[in-house]
PDB file of all heavy atoms in Angstrom:
ATOM      1  N   GLN D   2     212.745  48.708  34.734  1.00 51.00           N
ATOM      2  CA  GLN D   2     213.037  47.761  35.829  1.00 51.00           C
ATOM      3  C   GLN D   2     212.797  48.392  37.153  1.00 51.00           C
ATOM      4  O   GLN D   2     212.270  47.748  38.130  1.00 51.00           O
ATOM      5  CB  GLN D   2     214.460  47.226  35.711  1.00 51.00           C
ATOM      6  CG  GLN D   2     214.744  45.977  36.492  1.00 51.00           C
ATOM      7  CD  GLN D   2     213.896  44.847  36.074  1.00 51.00           C
ATOM      8  OE1 GLN D   2     214.086  44.233  34.983  1.00 51.00           O
ATOM      9  NE2 GLN D   2     212.846  44.516  36.888  1.00 51.00           N
ATOM     10  N   GLU D  28     192.226  40.657  67.519  1.00 79.00           N
ATOM     11  CA  GLU D  28     192.345  41.027  68.931  1.00 79.00           C
ATOM     12  C   GLU D  28     191.141  41.900  69.428  1.00 79.00           C
ATOM     13  O   GLU D  28     190.870  41.832  70.548  1.00 79.00           O
ATOM     14  CB  GLU D  28     193.636  41.662  69.180  1.00 79.00           C
ATOM     15  CG  GLU D  28     194.904  40.715  68.992  1.00 79.00           C
ATOM     16  CD  GLU D  28     194.869  39.655  70.058  1.00 79.00           C
ATOM     17  OE1 GLU D  28     194.708  39.884  71.183  1.00 79.00           O
ATOM     18  OE2 GLU D  28     195.168  38.444  69.660  1.00 79.00           O
ATOM     19  N   GLU D  57     204.264  35.742  39.183  1.00 94.00           N
ATOM     20  CA  GLU D  57     204.316  36.295  37.762  1.00 94.00           C
ATOM     21  C   GLU D  57     203.312  35.545  36.933  1.00 94.00           C
ATOM     22  O   GLU D  57     203.513  35.266  35.726  1.00 94.00           O
ATOM     23  CB  GLU D  57     205.665  36.169  37.204  1.00 94.00           C
ATOM     24  CG  GLU D  57     206.660  37.010  37.991  1.00 94.00           C
ATOM     25  CD  GLU D  57     208.085  37.063  37.365  1.00 94.00           C
ATOM     26  OE1 GLU D  57     208.454  36.002  36.763  1.00 94.00           O
ATOM     27  OE2 GLU D  57     208.730  38.102  37.447  1.00 94.00           O
ATOM     28  N   HIS D  62     200.678  31.562  31.852  1.00 87.00           N
ATOM     29  CA  HIS D  62     199.876  30.466  31.390  1.00 87.00           C
ATOM     30  C   HIS D  62     198.397  30.632  31.939  1.00 87.00           C
ATOM     31  O   HIS D  62     198.187  30.717  33.212  1.00 87.00           O
ATOM     32  CB  HIS D  62     200.490  29.129  31.966  1.00 87.00           C
ATOM     33  CG  HIS D  62     199.968  27.935  31.234  1.00 87.00           C
ATOM     34  ND1 HIS D  62     198.760  27.359  31.568  1.00 87.00           N
ATOM     35  CD2 HIS D  62     200.435  27.214  30.190  1.00 87.00           C
ATOM     36  CE1 HIS D  62     198.545  26.281  30.866  1.00 87.00           C
ATOM     37  NE2 HIS D  62     199.547  26.248  29.939  1.00 87.00           N
ATOM     38  N   VAL D  63     197.461  30.570  31.100  1.00 92.00           N
ATOM     39  CA  VAL D  63     196.080  30.854  31.419  1.00 92.00           C
ATOM     40  C   VAL D  63     195.491  29.803  32.449  1.00 92.00           C
ATOM     41  O   VAL D  63     194.725  30.199  33.363  1.00 92.00           O
ATOM     42  CB  VAL D  63     195.238  31.037  30.121  1.00 92.00           C
ATOM     43  CG1 VAL D  63     195.042  29.762  29.371  1.00 92.00           C
ATOM     44  CG2 VAL D  63     193.907  31.620  30.438  1.00 92.00           C
ATOM     45  N   TYR D  72     191.857  29.132  43.862  1.00 96.00           N
ATOM     46  CA  TYR D  72     192.183  28.781  45.303  1.00 96.00           C
ATOM     47  C   TYR D  72     191.668  29.986  46.217  1.00 96.00           C
ATOM     48  O   TYR D  72     191.093  29.726  47.296  1.00 96.00           O
ATOM     49  CB  TYR D  72     193.621  28.617  45.389  1.00 96.00           C
ATOM     50  CG  TYR D  72     194.036  27.620  46.468  1.00 96.00           C
ATOM     51  CD1 TYR D  72     194.179  26.298  46.191  1.00 96.00           C
ATOM     52  CD2 TYR D  72     194.403  28.028  47.785  1.00 96.00           C
ATOM     53  CE1 TYR D  72     194.496  25.376  47.138  1.00 96.00           C
ATOM     54  CE2 TYR D  72     194.798  27.112  48.707  1.00 96.00           C
ATOM     55  CZ  TYR D  72     194.857  25.762  48.386  1.00 96.00           C
ATOM     56  OH  TYR D  72     195.229  24.840  49.397  1.00 96.00           O
ATOM     57  N   THR D  94     177.329  16.789  56.138  1.00 93.00           N
ATOM     58  CA  THR D  94     178.619  16.023  56.241  1.00 93.00           C
ATOM     59  C   THR D  94     178.602  15.067  57.450  1.00 93.00           C
ATOM     60  O   THR D  94     179.680  14.481  57.716  1.00 93.00           O
ATOM     61  CB  THR D  94     179.836  17.012  56.358  1.00 93.00           C
ATOM     62  OG1 THR D  94     179.548  17.850  57.476  1.00 93.00           O
ATOM     63  CG2 THR D  94     179.894  17.821  55.134  1.00 93.00           C
TER      64      THR D  94
ATOM     65  N   THR Z  15     199.875  33.577  27.123  1.00 64.00           N
ATOM     66  CA  THR Z  15     198.918  32.715  27.855  1.00 64.00           C
ATOM     67  C   THR Z  15     199.476  31.258  27.877  1.00 64.00           C
ATOM     68  O   THR Z  15     198.931  30.509  28.686  1.00 64.00           O
ATOM     69  CB  THR Z  15     197.642  32.659  27.214  1.00 64.00           C
ATOM     70  OG1 THR Z  15     197.711  32.265  25.908  1.00 64.00           O
ATOM     71  CG2 THR Z  15     196.855  34.101  27.218  1.00 64.00           C
ATOM     72  N   LYS Z  17     202.976  30.957  28.315  1.00 84.00           N
ATOM     73  CA  LYS Z  17     204.290  31.049  29.091  1.00 84.00           C
ATOM     74  C   LYS Z  17     204.123  30.494  30.450  1.00 84.00           C
ATOM     75  O   LYS Z  17     203.150  30.829  31.145  1.00 84.00           O
ATOM     76  CB  LYS Z  17     204.652  32.488  29.053  1.00 84.00           C
ATOM     77  CG  LYS Z  17     206.152  32.749  29.570  1.00 84.00           C
ATOM     78  CD  LYS Z  17     206.487  34.164  29.517  1.00 84.00           C
ATOM     79  CE  LYS Z  17     206.066  34.727  30.854  1.00 84.00           C
ATOM     80  NZ  LYS Z  17     206.305  36.205  30.956  1.00 84.00           N
ATOM     81  N   MET Z  32     199.582  22.346  46.939  1.00 97.00           N
ATOM     82  CA  MET Z  32     198.325  23.224  47.180  1.00 97.00           C
ATOM     83  C   MET Z  32     197.146  22.313  47.405  1.00 97.00           C
ATOM     84  O   MET Z  32     196.281  22.572  48.226  1.00 97.00           O
ATOM     85  CB  MET Z  32     198.111  24.128  45.993  1.00 97.00           C
ATOM     86  CG  MET Z  32     199.140  25.218  45.749  1.00 97.00           C
ATOM     87  SD  MET Z  32     199.254  26.401  47.200  1.00 97.00           S
ATOM     88  CE  MET Z  32     197.924  27.434  46.865  1.00 97.00           C
ATOM     89  N   HIS Z  48     181.445  20.778  62.988  1.00 97.00           N
ATOM     90  CA  HIS Z  48     181.065  19.762  63.912  1.00 97.00           C
ATOM     91  C   HIS Z  48     181.461  20.027  65.339  1.00 97.00           C
ATOM     92  O   HIS Z  48     180.977  19.317  66.318  1.00 97.00           O
ATOM     93  CB  HIS Z  48     181.650  18.406  63.429  1.00 97.00           C
ATOM     94  CG  HIS Z  48     180.915  17.875  62.224  1.00 97.00           C
ATOM     95  ND1 HIS Z  48     179.737  17.204  62.240  1.00 97.00           N
ATOM     96  CD2 HIS Z  48     181.158  17.991  60.820  1.00 97.00           C
ATOM     97  CE1 HIS Z  48     179.285  16.874  61.054  1.00 97.00           C
ATOM     98  NE2 HIS Z  48     180.212  17.377  60.153  1.00 97.00           N
ATOM     99  N   THR Z  62     198.523  35.446  68.923  1.00 91.00           N
ATOM    100  CA  THR Z  62     198.299  36.166  67.681  1.00 91.00           C
ATOM    101  C   THR Z  62     199.589  36.897  67.248  1.00 91.00           C
ATOM    102  O   THR Z  62     199.897  36.970  66.043  1.00 91.00           O
ATOM    103  CB  THR Z  62     197.192  37.271  67.847  1.00 91.00           C
ATOM    104  OG1 THR Z  62     196.042  36.567  68.341  1.00 91.00           O
ATOM    105  CG2 THR Z  62     196.785  37.882  66.519  1.00 91.00           C
ATOM    106  N   ARG Z  87     218.139  38.571  36.837  1.00 95.00           N
ATOM    107  CA  ARG Z  87     217.828  39.026  35.483  1.00 95.00           C
ATOM    108  C   ARG Z  87     218.542  40.278  34.985  1.00 95.00           C
ATOM    109  O   ARG Z  87     218.802  40.522  33.824  1.00 95.00           O
ATOM    110  CB  ARG Z  87     216.317  39.343  35.443  1.00 95.00           C
ATOM    111  CG  ARG Z  87     215.442  38.116  35.386  1.00 95.00           C
ATOM    112  CD  ARG Z  87     213.904  38.494  35.395  1.00 95.00           C
ATOM    113  NE  ARG Z  87     213.107  37.210  35.402  1.00 95.00           N
ATOM    114  CZ  ARG Z  87     211.901  37.195  35.834  1.00 95.00           C
ATOM    115  NH1 ARG Z  87     211.261  38.316  36.266  1.00 95.00           N
ATOM    116  NH2 ARG Z  87     211.131  36.023  35.822  1.00 95.00           N
ATOM    117  N   GLU Z  88     219.001  41.033  36.031  1.00 95.00           N
ATOM    118  CA  GLU Z  88     219.875  42.266  35.749  1.00 95.00           C
ATOM    119  C   GLU Z  88     221.287  41.944  35.701  1.00 95.00           C
ATOM    120  O   GLU Z  88     222.150  42.803  35.712  1.00 95.00           O
ATOM    121  CB  GLU Z  88     219.585  43.308  36.748  1.00 95.00           C
ATOM    122  CG  GLU Z  88     218.212  43.929  36.700  1.00 95.00           C
ATOM    123  CD  GLU Z  88     217.953  44.959  37.760  1.00 95.00           C
ATOM    124  OE1 GLU Z  88     218.682  44.924  38.858  1.00 95.00           O
ATOM    125  OE2 GLU Z  88     217.096  45.806  37.578  1.00 95.00           O
ATOM    126  N   VAL Z 196     192.874  33.920  63.516  1.00 89.00           N
ATOM    127  CA  VAL Z 196     192.044  35.102  63.550  1.00 89.00           C
ATOM    128  C   VAL Z 196     190.586  34.773  63.587  1.00 89.00           C
ATOM    129  O   VAL Z 196     189.871  35.385  64.451  1.00 89.00           O
ATOM    130  CB  VAL Z 196     192.291  35.880  62.184  1.00 89.00           C
ATOM    131  CG1 VAL Z 196     191.385  37.087  62.080  1.00 89.00           C
ATOM    132  CG2 VAL Z 196     193.740  36.273  62.111  1.00 89.00           C
TER     133      VAL Z 196
END
Side-chain angles (χ1 to χ4, degrees):
Chain D
Q2 197 59 73
E28 293 296 314
E57 301 184 327
H62 198 279
V63 67
Y72 210 87
T94 54
Chain Z
T15 59
K17 192 181 86 184
M32 293 297 280
H48 287 278
T62 309
R87 285 176 181 160
E88 289 178 341
V196 179

